[in-house]
């Protein structure tokens, strides 16, 4: 079982170090993970001038799974678009065909007080957001900053989905919904966008093959509101790349902190890139205060989705639960009366309880 480790930038290396300790603990317990570290993002730009270097690409192609910290940093903001750290992430997703991004929005009951929302609105929350990851306005052509006919600069991006791309993510969504509560809500903007109209037509068509799944549709602006008003109405949400980016950050706050949300980005053979949904948080990098739990929970997703090791996945998730029940908290989720610990100490606590 070959895993490429991509620490990335900012808090990336710190949170990845704790997740790697979890993998090493499983190795000493009889699993056989081979880990190799590679460069992606700003750190790769620093060394090679390229956010997704050829050497990383080679390793990524051969790997069964990849574990990523986060990419990005202020010092790269002036680089041209193709050299930005984020381009490394977008390129590897596209290159490996990781079109299905699963973002579970799960509230650990111990954290019900850490959210800004009232406990009764969020307690028991368990949603899965499926975000299409290799299409949409993120990749559509034409794009760029160009001169218009009257010599004004225009910024241009194109929202585009082929029906093949929509069918592919729709099947994933229905199959995932079947393993949960058989309720699927597709989010689009079909009252304005043709791209969304096609999206909705394809979902309606695919739903004929899944008569046991209850499909509903919701416009994205309403979905943003409903997530705050009554999040427990949702079970599985499926949406395009950009709406999914925005809604998953919003939804993360229902769980207390964006530092709690893992993700899996899968191809059609369950090869996956696993990463926390949060960014590189340069403002808190190197201070031993970042929350490593989203990355550790991403390891659990890796065990479940790529390696089929459900029991080991549950072990990690239970360990997180026990540690939270023992009141260990990193700063982002700390409340009065809890034990505030650093990134490394949170890793220690997870290992002790694993
Ligand atoms: C995410 C991030 C990325 C995205 C950025 C870092 C390119 O926000 O994974 O949600 O927009 O997909
Ligand atoms: Mg995002």
């Amino acid at each position: 079982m070959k895993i490429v480790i991509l620490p990335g930038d900012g808090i990336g290396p710190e949170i990845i170090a704790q997740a790697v300790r979890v993998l090493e603990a499983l190795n000493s317990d009889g699993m056989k993970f081979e880990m190799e570290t590679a460069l992606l993002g700003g750190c790769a730009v620093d060394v090679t001038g390229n956010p997704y270097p050829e050497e990383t690409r080679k390793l990524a192609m051969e790997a069964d799974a990849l574990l990523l910290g986060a990419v990005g940093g202020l010092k790269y903001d002036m680089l041209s678009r193709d050299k930005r750290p984020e381009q490394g992430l977008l390129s590897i997703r596209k290159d490996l065909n990781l079109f299905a991004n699963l973002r579970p929005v799960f509230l650990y009951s111990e954290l019900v007080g850490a959210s800004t929302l009232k406990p009764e609105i969020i307690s028991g929350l368990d949603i899965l957001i499926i975000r299409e990851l290799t299409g949409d306005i993120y990749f559509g052509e034409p794009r760029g900053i160009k001169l218009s006919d009257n010599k004004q600069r225009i910024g241009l991006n194109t929202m585009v989905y082929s029906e093949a791309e929509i069918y592919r993510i729709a099947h994933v969504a229905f199959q995932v919904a079947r393993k949960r509560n058989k309720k699927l809500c597709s989010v689009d903007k079909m009252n304005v966008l043709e791209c969304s109209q096609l999206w909705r037509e394809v979902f309606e068509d695919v739903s004929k093959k899944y008569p046991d799944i209850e499909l509903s549709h919701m416009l994205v602006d309403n979905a943003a509101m409903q997530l705050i008003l009554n999040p427990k109405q949702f079970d599985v949400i499926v949406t395009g790349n950009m709406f999914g980016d925005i809604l998953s950050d919003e939804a993360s706050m229902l769980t207390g902190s964006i530092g709690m949300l893992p993700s899996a980005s899968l191809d059609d053979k369950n090869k996956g890139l696993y990463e926390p949904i949060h960014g590189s948080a340069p403002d808190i990098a190197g201070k031993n205060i970042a929350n490593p739990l989203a990355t550790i929970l991403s390891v659990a997703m890796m065990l479940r989705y790529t390696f089929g090791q459900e029991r080991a996945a549950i072990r990690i998730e239970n360990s997180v639960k026990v540690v939270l029940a023992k009141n260990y908290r990193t700063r982002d989720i700390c409340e009065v009366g809890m034990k505030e610990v650093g990134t490394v100490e949170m890793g220690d606590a997870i290992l002790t309880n694993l």
Side-chain angles (χ1 to χ4, degrees):
M1 301 189 279
K2 275 196 195 162
I3 305 174
V4 171
I5 308 287
L6 304 160
D9 312 317
I11 59 171
E14 296 168 69
I15 53 180
I16 279 287
Q18 302 315 312
V20 166
R21 290 174 74 196
V22 170
L23 284 166
E24 282 165 352
L26 295 174
N27 267 354
S28 56
D29 224 16
M31 296 219 171
K32 293 200 167 59
F33 297 114
E34 277 174 39
M35 290 177 258
E36 198 144 6
T37 302
L39 297 172
L40 186 84
C43 59
V45 175
D46 290 340
V47 177
T48 69
N50 178 355
Y52 180 37
E54 193 49 44
E55 199 180 316
T56 301
R57 175 159 200 264
K58 250 191 86 209
L59 289 172
M61 292 285 174
E62 289 160 6
D64 301 303
L66 302 97
L67 183 67
L68 168 67
V71 300
L74 304 175
K75 77 176 211 203
Y76 307 104
D77 273 356
M78 54 284 276
L79 293 179
S80 66
R81 189 147 297 279
D82 59 321
K83 297 235 151 51
R84 288 182 59 103
E86 291 80 5
Q87 195 54 47
L89 179 55
L90 297 173
S91 301
I92 197 170
R93 287 173 177 170
K94 186 82 175 171
D95 199 29
L96 300 181
N97 226 348
L98 306 171
F99 66 93
N101 182 211
L102 311 188
R103 299 188 158 185
V105 182
F106 177 81
L107 174 69
Y108 281 87
S109 54
E110 292 76 13
L111 294 184
V112 73
S115 172
T116 50
L117 274 86
K118 295 193 189 100
E120 61 268 30
I121 301 290
I122 52 171
S123 69
L125 187 80
D126 181 1
I127 302 176
L128 180 68
I129 297 181
I130 303 179
R131 170 188 177 197
E132 200 291 329
L133 205 57
T134 54
D136 202 352
I137 195 165
Y138 271 53
F139 295 95
E141 297 283 346
R143 64 185 295 162
I145 299 178
K146 310 189 172 171
L147 273 191
S148 70
D149 293 344
N150 64 1
K151 299 282 176 281
Q152 269 208 68
R153 284 181 308 156
I154 54 164
L156 173 69
N157 291 91
T158 306
M159 178 178 271
V160 49
Y161 266 122
S162 71
E163 58 178 345
E165 288 174 310
I166 307 172
Y167 275 106
R168 183 170 71 165
I169 193 70
H171 280 289
V172 171
F174 278 99
Q175 279 158 27
V176 168
R178 187 169 268 170
K179 291 200 196 123
R180 291 178 47 114
N181 289 334
K182 299 187 166 32
K183 259 177 66 181
L184 178 63
C185 179
S186 167
V187 171
D188 62 34
K189 187 70 185 173
M190 82 79 91
N191 54 347
V192 178
L193 305 172
E194 284 81 357
C195 188
S196 283
Q197 185 184 329
L198 181 67
W199 176 279
R200 200 176 273 212
E201 281 170 25
V202 169
F203 268 82
E204 279 299 319
D205 188 38
V206 175
S207 81
K208 293 181 204 140
K209 296 209 167 70
Y210 300 87
D212 53 322
I213 310 296
E214 181 197 318
L215 173 69
S216 61
H217 303 279
M218 196 178 277
L219 297 173
V220 63
D221 48 351
N222 185 28
M225 185 188 71
Q226 296 293 336
L227 269 172
I228 302 299
L229 180 72
N230 177 17
K232 282 187 271 186
Q233 70 185 283
F234 297 108
D235 190 56
V236 180
I237 293 176
V238 58
T239 189
N241 203 344
M242 186 163 69
F243 298 156
D245 179 44
I246 299 167
L247 291 181
S248 58
D249 266 34
E250 185 195 10
S252 75
M253 287 320 293
L254 306 169
T255 71
S257 166
I258 196 168
M260 293 301 299
L261 256 61
S263 81
S265 306
L266 305 173
D267 73 2
D268 54 7
K269 298 187 185 67
N270 290 335
K271 174 171 177 165
L273 169 74
Y274 297 83
E275 53 172 321
I277 81 151
H278 61 69
S280 58
D283 52 323
I284 60 165
K287 297 185 178 158
N288 193 40
I289 55 177
N291 185 348
L293 293 178
T295 317
I296 289 170
L297 289 166
S298 298
V299 172
M301 290 192 84
M302 176 190 289
L303 293 167
R304 171 171 296 127
Y305 288 101
T306 293
F307 297 122
Q309 302 281 347
E310 181 66 22
R311 276 189 51 205
I314 291 176
R315 241 178 105 186
I316 295 174
E317 289 160 353
N318 282 346
S319 166
V320 170
K321 189 157 176 66
V322 169
V323 165
L324 293 174
K326 290 185 177 166
N327 292 342
Y328 288 95
R329 300 284 190 276
T330 42
R331 188 168 298 177
D332 55 315
I333 48 176
C334 200
E335 296 167 76
V336 186
M338 305 282 155
K339 296 185 214 111
E340 186 176 328
V341 294
T343 312
V344 176
E345 294 69 36
M346 186 56 106
D348 293 342
I350 294 291
L351 286 183
T352 308
N353 289 286
L354 196 67

